[in-house]
Amino acid sequence: MFDRSKYKKYARNMLKRRWTVPVLMTLFCIAIIGFLEFPDFKDFYSEYIAMMQMAPSGLSQDSSFYSELRSFLTILIELVLVYAQIYVYIKMSKSPDPIYGKDFIQGFSNWARAILAGLWELLWTFLWMLLFIIPGFVKHYAYSQTKYLVTEFENLSVTKALRVSMAITRGHKADLFVMDLSFLGWMILAMIPCGLGLLWLVPYREMSMINAYHSMLKEAVTLGLITKEDLEG
């Protein structure tokens, strides 16, 4: 049974007296992503001003190409950062032991799988989005557990992780959507003090989602939707 209140409660307990590394980790990732995306924001702002003034944007084809390349590289780096954080949160979900900065650094060792899995998930979501928004939205939640599966089970292939994600989210995609919505109010409040609240909200949300992942995975095995052998490769 999907119980988001329980998953959130467990997340708060798991983070108790272990906030330091998740908060600093979140700060680091926000700073890196902000630095990487600043040039794109500046280009967008320049084009917007030029459009309002009905003047040429001043961006050449070469600069546009480099902008697209920079955006693609930014996506790759963001994927590596996301998976490194997930590595830490999964470790926290399995043990009450203290965590350290070295655990976050260890998460970067899976950078290749992070990029491959992230791009594979984005590709299939994008293809479904081409059909219509709603199918793409549904598939987004169907594929959403891929990142946790790839991180937890090192021998599990990326393509199989996507299929397992579809299996364990069967009947729970709406639950995941509602759980996402339940953080919306907190997201708005977190943005008020210059976004500082995100440093605590992001770890809280991610730990809650990982608790939901563990529950769905256990349920899928119990119901026979997947077997333990499916997680071995």
Side-chain angles (χ1 to χ4, degrees):
M1 180 179 178
F2 197 97
D3 189 343
R4 65 177 182 275
S5 297
K6 182 176 69 175
Y7 306 146
K8 291 181 177 181
K9 180 181 178 181
Y10 287 170
R12 292 192 294 271
N13 290 336
M14 290 172 179
L15 286 164
K16 191 176 297 182
R17 293 186 295 276
R18 296 198 293 177
W19 280 101
T20 303
V21 171
V23 167
L24 292 177
M25 184 171 65
T26 304
L27 177 61
F28 173 80
C29 292
I30 289 177
I32 294 297
I33 292 172
F35 174 78
L36 292 172
E37 293 186 348
F38 178 75
D40 290 328
F41 172 78
K42 186 172 66 173
D43 289 346
F44 172 80
Y45 181 74
S46 298
E47 290 184 350
Y48 174 76
I49 294 298
M51 181 183 67
M52 294 300 293
Q53 297 175 348
M54 300 186 69
S57 66
L59 293 178
S60 65
Q61 290 185 349
D62 287 343
S63 62
S64 178
F65 168 77
Y66 285 117
S67 177
E68 294 296 329
L69 179 60
R70 185 175 62 243
S71 296
F72 179 70
L73 292 175
T74 298
I75 291 174
L76 299 186
I77 294 173
E78 287 179 358
L79 288 174
V80 173
L81 290 172
V82 166
Y83 277 71
Q85 292 176 85
I86 289 173
Y87 176 85
V88 173
Y89 292 130
I90 285 183
K91 185 171 184 176
M92 291 178 68
S93 71
K94 290 185 171 184
S95 171
D97 295 337
I99 54 170
Y100 306 95
K102 64 181 181 181
D103 296 313
F104 179 46
I105 296 174
Q106 179 64 31
F108 287 97
S109 63
N110 292 323
W111 63 270
R113 277 169 62 81
I115 291 175
L116 184 60
L119 291 179
W120 189 242
E121 180 183 345
L122 287 172
L123 172 63
W124 280 102
T125 303
F126 172 73
L127 291 176
W128 278 102
M129 283 287 186
L130 291 178
L131 292 179
F132 202 65
I133 295 297
I134 293 179
F137 194 68
V138 171
K139 288 299 181 180
H140 161 72
Y141 283 102
Y143 304 149
S144 63
Q145 308 305 297
T146 304
K147 52 185 176 291
Y148 306 131
L149 290 161
V150 167
T151 303
E152 183 175 10
F153 301 100
E154 296 182 356
N155 294 324
L156 183 63
S157 69
V158 168
T159 54
K160 194 168 185 178
L162 196 74
R163 295 196 296 271
V164 173
S165 177
M166 294 173 64
I168 68 177
T169 56
R170 190 175 302 167
H172 292 305
K173 290 182 280 293
D175 293 322
L176 290 169
F177 172 65
V178 172
M179 189 167 177
D180 260 339
L181 287 181
S182 70
F183 288 99
L184 184 59
W186 287 111
M187 182 71 69
I188 295 172
L189 290 175
M191 294 300 294
I192 292 175
C194 301
L196 291 177
L198 292 174
L199 300 181
W200 286 266
L201 178 59
V202 170
Y204 174 42
R205 178 191 176 281
E206 199 57 50
M207 283 301 303
S208 300
M209 288 297 184
I210 285 177
N211 288 333
Y213 152 73
H214 284 309
S215 178
M216 290 187 294
L217 182 61
K218 181 179 179 181
E219 180 185 85
V221 172
T222 302
L223 295 177
L225 298 177
I226 61 171
T227 64
K228 292 183 178 179
E229 288 72 23
D230 289 327
L231 303 173
E232 295 176 357

